Amino acid sequence: MNRIGCLYLHRTENLMTESLETVGALDPLGDLDAGDSQSATKNRAKVGSARPSSLLYTYGPGATMDLPSFTIMPSGLDDWERIWARRGSVPTVHAPRLLDAVKVHLGPQVSELRPFPWAPKPTSRSKEGDDLGVPARVFPQWLRCTNCDMLAPLTRYAYRNTNPFRPDQARFEHEKCPGRNGRISKRPMPAVPARYLLACPDGHLDEFPYSWWVHEGTKCTAAEVPSLAMHDRSVGKGASATIECRACGLKRPMNQAQGEAGAAKIPRCRGRHPHLGLFDKNGCPNATKLMLLGASNLWFPASLSIVVMPESTAETHETVAAELLKAAGPKRVEKYGSNLDKWREFLDEEQSPLAGMSDEDLAAAIAHLLEPPPSEEELAEQRRTFDPVSLLVPEWNFLQRDPLGKLHKADGKSGLVLSPPDGGVHPGLAAKHVTRVMAIDKLRKVNAVLGFTRIDEMERANDIGQRLVHLSRSGRPSWTVATEDRGEGIYLQLDEETVAAWESMVENPDPNSLWAAHVAAHKRNFDARFSDTAKDIDHLSRFRPARYWLVHTLAHVLIREMAMYSGYSAASLSERIYAWKREGERPPAAGLLIVTTASDSDGTLGGLVQLSARDNLERVLSRALERARRCSSDPVCAHRTPKDPEEFLHGAACHTCAMASETSCERANRFLDRRFLVDLPGAVGLGFFN
């Protein structure tokens, strides 16, 4: 299990903004490969550490991560191969259903999910596992001396990382710094990243062309490679710096690059992907946008996750075909064809786990393997029609089954352990239309990263196949990164017949109804905030039915209440919402799963499981609903209804009563309204629990 992922400085390439010349500045991993990194005084590889969850959702490949003295960017998956090559075998994460969903977005060539390169240390001073870690590049590579204001690429600075047990002391320094008064400093002065970047909607990111900017697109008349300075006396107040050319004396403030007027003054996109160390061959036609280092819209992860249930661990024909290809190789596949006997002989000789499959399943997998690969048009159609709900349906179907008894172990691979409540559902819960309760004593959640977007988050673009930035240079990786979280939870399900009747009442076509106001607000939000590429789709396809608002709001008030009794903080509890209408063969759903998971512990202290007891859960739910009737921001909160031109996607909900931390909510506090839970003044008759 991944606990802490080390960050290792990869070979740094200084891709100059004014030219495409590549200069090798330092190669800490090269030192590590040579075996002399423990005696190196400059190029120690390790520069920090991070939890797998943060490397997945906050600082993944392509994102900028602030270290104490400089900023790095985790590299693409091609550089990770150099790390995995140090091990005889590569561990994988078993989640076939999730792997199938990943293939829809990244292509059928993806054959496995891998964890982060990490190995446990028996002691704090042990060197075991030092050769594993996430490779990263220094980015941005333009630095400013804090003493003399010199603005230059990192090749002009010295790299220091001398203490093997203090990677936080890694830094770049300006040796023999003249200072602002011309006195040569006796000690090196620290340098910090220059904080201006250029980004485009297609996910490209580039350094700001400082020399081009100060000379207004021309070359310096006094020097071929002029010395630059960045004067920044009010750090943190936007584009407040001034760039100066010390050779010719020209100066230009950065605030001229801001806003719509400034957009016409900055260069167009060059198609740079710094996490891959390359530029797009066909360039990029987009205009660029000035970004500050650390901006919240600089990197949005695109990921998928499942709570592993037996249905999601069953090998599909597609996943078995991928394992056959990996084991046999393309030449054997061509040689054996559909000859089942030869495949049997090969699998027996290799002692493969696939040898135990039935002839029917093995033949079906072989037939799938021999099928021609899907065309680009077919792949694009699969991505367009992909519904994230498809990942939830197997979980919902399994949770409809009754456990055989207390601590019922679902199967050997999922790690799922369930317990029914002693004595069945409490009468008080049944009176509130709760039909099923289960304690999830143990569960495993697997998260896989697909790529990332910039400026617009994944769900705000319709052409995600084009906008999604890949993690490998080819754009067709053979694997992707996944994390495993383990923990516990509580499952709660509402009566479908009652929910359906309530839903038909709430979704009133009356234009003056609360539901009509939420629909209209969603249309305004969609038109104002979604990418231009999503304007050709119906906004209702991104809207959620009334039952989702109900279950989602219920999950939030339960999280807030459970945090008072479970021993977990509210931020450590998260929701998984099962709320959709019947569609074709897919059954309707109205339930929720509240879990606590962690990648560095089993997350099974038992606090949530204890709350699932009959009396405890009835008391928690009753108190949560009672608290939902009141908010310290009432009556403002209770009467909050979006009206033109307002576009917020919540009603009677605020951070005082129903909103949760972003680590807990799967919808960023959208689609919440207490009036759908209980009756509030001015909205009598809408509350489900009334």
Side-chain angles (χ1 to χ4, degrees):
M1 187 190 305
N2 286 322
R3 299 177 187 271
I4 298 292
C6 295
L7 294 161
Y8 284 98
L9 203 62
H10 189 264
R11 179 179 178 86
T12 302
E13 295 177 350
N14 181 26
L15 296 176
M16 303 292 288
T17 310
E18 285 76 27
S19 70
L20 300 184
E21 179 184 2
T22 301
V23 181
L26 59 149
D27 189 7
L29 280 183
D31 284 357
L32 196 66
D33 290 339
D36 60 353
S37 65
Q38 298 304 317
S39 61
T41 58
K42 292 184 179 181
N43 290 356
R44 289 195 186 278
K46 185 178 179 181
V47 292
S49 61
R51 293 182 180 274
S53 57
S54 66
L55 289 172
L56 188 69
Y57 295 117
T58 311
Y59 303 117
T64 57
M65 181 178 185
D66 288 330
L67 299 179
S69 298
F70 55 94
T71 304
I72 62 169
M73 176 179 288
S75 301
L77 302 184
D78 303 277
D79 295 332
W80 294 39
E81 291 289 355
R82 182 176 174 185
I83 306 298
W84 284 121
R86 298 171 180 154
R87 291 293 191 266
S89 61
V90 178
T92 59
V93 178
H94 184 77
R97 296 289 181 184
L98 182 60
L99 180 59
D100 288 345
V102 169
K103 290 179 178 180
V104 172
H105 294 278
L106 301 185
Q109 79 287 343
V110 180
S111 60
E112 59 188 12
L113 305 175
R114 296 183 185 179
F116 287 96
W118 175 87
K121 289 179 176 291
T123 64
S124 60
R125 291 184 172 269
S126 172
K127 297 179 181 179
E128 186 175 343
D130 281 354
D131 58 339
L132 294 180
V134 176
R137 301 167 184 266
V138 178
F139 188 86
Q141 297 183 5
W142 279 79
L143 308 177
R144 178 180 68 88
C145 175
T146 56
N147 188 45
C148 69
D149 294 330
M150 182 181 77
L151 177 65
L154 56 80
T155 49
R156 298 280 299 277
Y157 299 91
Y159 176 62
R160 295 281 185 270
N161 190 7
T162 57
N163 191 332
F165 305 108
R166 293 295 303 275
D168 58 294
Q169 294 181 353
R171 62 198 181 277
F172 286 90
E173 297 176 336
H174 186 194
E175 296 179 325
K176 298 180 180 180
C177 174
R180 296 187 181 94
N181 55 11
R183 288 186 177 182
I184 302 297
S185 174
K186 294 182 179 179
R187 60 186 179 89
M189 303 306 295
V192 296
R195 56 196 176 96
Y196 300 102
L197 302 170
L198 296 177
C200 90
D202 283 348
H204 300 119
L205 187 67
D206 211 342
E207 311 235 20
F208 191 84
Y210 297 103
S211 180
W212 182 95
W213 173 255
V214 72
H215 296 106
E216 299 188 10
T218 63
K219 292 186 177 181
C220 178
T221 58
E224 184 175 352
V225 182
S227 176
L228 304 179
M230 175 184 285
H231 304 291
D232 196 352
R233 301 293 180 264
S234 54
V235 176
K237 295 184 179 180
S240 55
T242 298
I243 310 301
E244 177 190 5
C245 176
R246 286 174 169 169
C248 64
L250 288 177
K251 296 182 180 180
R252 194 176 187 186
M254 289 297 301
N255 58 17
Q256 292 185 11
Q258 284 184 306
E260 294 183 4
K265 301 177 183 178
I266 55 181
R268 300 189 71 82
C269 183
R270 300 191 303 167
R272 182 183 181 186
H273 288 307
H275 68 295
L276 302 177
L278 54 76
F279 293 80
D280 275 352
K281 296 179 180 179
N282 300 325
C284 179
N286 295 326
T288 54
K289 182 177 181 180
L290 180 69
M291 305 282 284
L292 290 179
L293 188 63
S296 60
N297 61 342
L298 198 60
W299 188 83
F300 293 105
S303 61
L304 297 173
S305 66
I306 62 169
V307 173
V308 181
M309 307 276 180
E311 268 79 359
S312 58
T313 58
E315 298 282 2
T316 64
H317 296 154
E318 186 175 358
T319 54
V320 174
E323 292 182 24
L324 287 173
L325 177 61
K326 183 179 178 181
K331 291 185 177 179
R332 282 196 182 94
V333 171
E334 184 178 355
K335 179 180 178 182
Y336 296 162
S338 58
N339 191 320
L340 191 61
D341 293 335
K342 289 186 176 180
W343 280 105
R344 282 287 183 201
E345 183 180 352
F346 168 75
L347 294 175
D348 289 338
E349 290 178 355
E350 296 294 322
Q351 296 182 343
S352 171
L354 301 178
M357 294 183 62
S358 65
D359 288 347
E360 182 181 356
D361 289 340
L362 183 58
I366 294 172
H368 185 88
L369 179 60
L370 297 176
E371 290 178 358
S375 64
E376 289 298 327
E377 292 76 14
E378 292 173 331
L379 291 175
E381 180 64 17
Q382 290 178 10
R383 287 192 292 266
R384 189 186 67 81
T385 58
F386 176 76
D387 187 357
V389 171
S390 62
L391 291 176
L392 299 174
V393 173
E395 301 173 20
W396 169 262
N397 290 338
F398 183 80
L399 291 171
Q400 303 309 298
R401 305 178 186 176
D402 292 324
L404 299 180
K406 196 167 184 64
L407 295 177
H408 169 63
K409 192 173 183 180
D411 67 346
K413 292 183 178 180
S414 68
L416 187 69
V417 178
L418 309 169
S419 293
D422 293 332
V425 177
H426 191 283
L429 293 176
K432 295 180 176 65
H433 312 294
V434 176
T435 59
R436 180 181 291 270
V437 173
M438 273 191 289
I440 314 296
D441 298 86
K442 292 184 179 181
L443 61 83
R444 184 167 67 99
K445 184 181 179 184
V446 180
N447 319 280
V449 61
L450 304 175
F452 63 89
T453 60
R454 302 196 194 276
I455 300 179
D456 289 320
E457 59 183 319
M458 183 178 178
E459 68 171 16
R460 293 191 180 275
N462 194 40
D463 57 345
I464 194 61
Q466 174 185 340
R467 301 283 296 282
L468 186 70
V469 181
H470 294 291
L471 303 182
S472 67
R473 296 185 180 94
S474 66
R476 299 179 64 83
S478 60
W479 60 275
T480 192
V481 186
T483 63
E484 288 184 281
D485 299 337
R486 300 179 186 272
E488 59 171 314
I490 295 178
Y491 173 71
L492 186 149
Q493 182 176 325
L494 301 179
D495 178 64
E496 171 57 33
E497 184 177 344
T498 308
V499 169
W502 171 87
E503 187 174 44
S504 63
M505 180 270 296
V506 169
E507 294 182 351
N508 193 330
D510 182 359
N512 296 319
S513 67
L514 175 62
W515 185 249
H518 284 315
V519 173
H522 185 268
K523 179 68 167 65
R524 292 191 292 270
N525 181 281
F526 187 91
D527 291 340
R529 299 180 182 273
F530 275 60
S531 166
D532 290 338
T533 61
K535 297 296 179 61
D536 59 340
I537 63 174
D538 184 3
H539 78 100
L540 293 177
S541 65
R542 305 290 178 93
F543 197 51
R544 292 294 175 266
R547 67 174 63 208
Y548 188 95
W549 291 67
L550 165 66
V551 177
H552 192 203
T553 310
L554 177 61
H556 277 227
V557 298
L558 282 175
I559 285 174
R560 297 169 74 95
E561 193 68 22
M562 288 177 176
M564 300 182 183
Y565 304 100
S566 65
Y568 299 110
S569 67
S572 66
L573 302 179
S574 60
E575 64 188 6
R576 196 157 181 89
I577 307 298
Y578 307 95
W580 55 81
K581 297 181 180 181
R582 181 183 299 277
E583 184 176 329
E585 298 181 357
R586 187 178 71 191
L592 60 93
L593 181 64
I594 296 177
V595 301
T596 178
T597 58
S599 57
D600 56 352
S601 67
D602 282 349
T604 52
L605 296 176
L608 284 181
V609 172
Q610 185 66 28
L611 290 182
S612 69
R614 293 177 84 239
D615 295 339
N616 291 344
L617 186 58
E618 195 279 332
R619 182 171 60 252
V620 168
L621 179 58
S622 297
R623 290 180 177 177
L625 294 176
E626 186 63 30
R627 292 181 193 274
R629 298 178 187 276
R630 298 179 179 88
C631 174
S632 59
S633 298
D634 284 344
V636 175
C637 178
H639 290 85
R640 183 181 290 113
T641 302
K643 298 179 181 179
D644 194 15
E646 295 170 331
E647 57 184 41
F648 49 83
L649 300 181
H650 62 273
C654 67
H655 286 287
T656 305
C657 59
M659 290 187 176
S661 66
E662 61 184 39
T663 58
S664 300
C665 181
E666 66 178 31
R667 288 289 171 184
N669 285 317
R670 300 191 292 267
F671 310 128
L672 297 169
D673 198 322
R674 288 184 292 135
R675 287 168 289 194
F676 294 147
L677 283 184
V678 293
D679 284 347
L680 298 180
V684 177
L686 290 179
F688 176 83
F689 292 98
N690 288 93

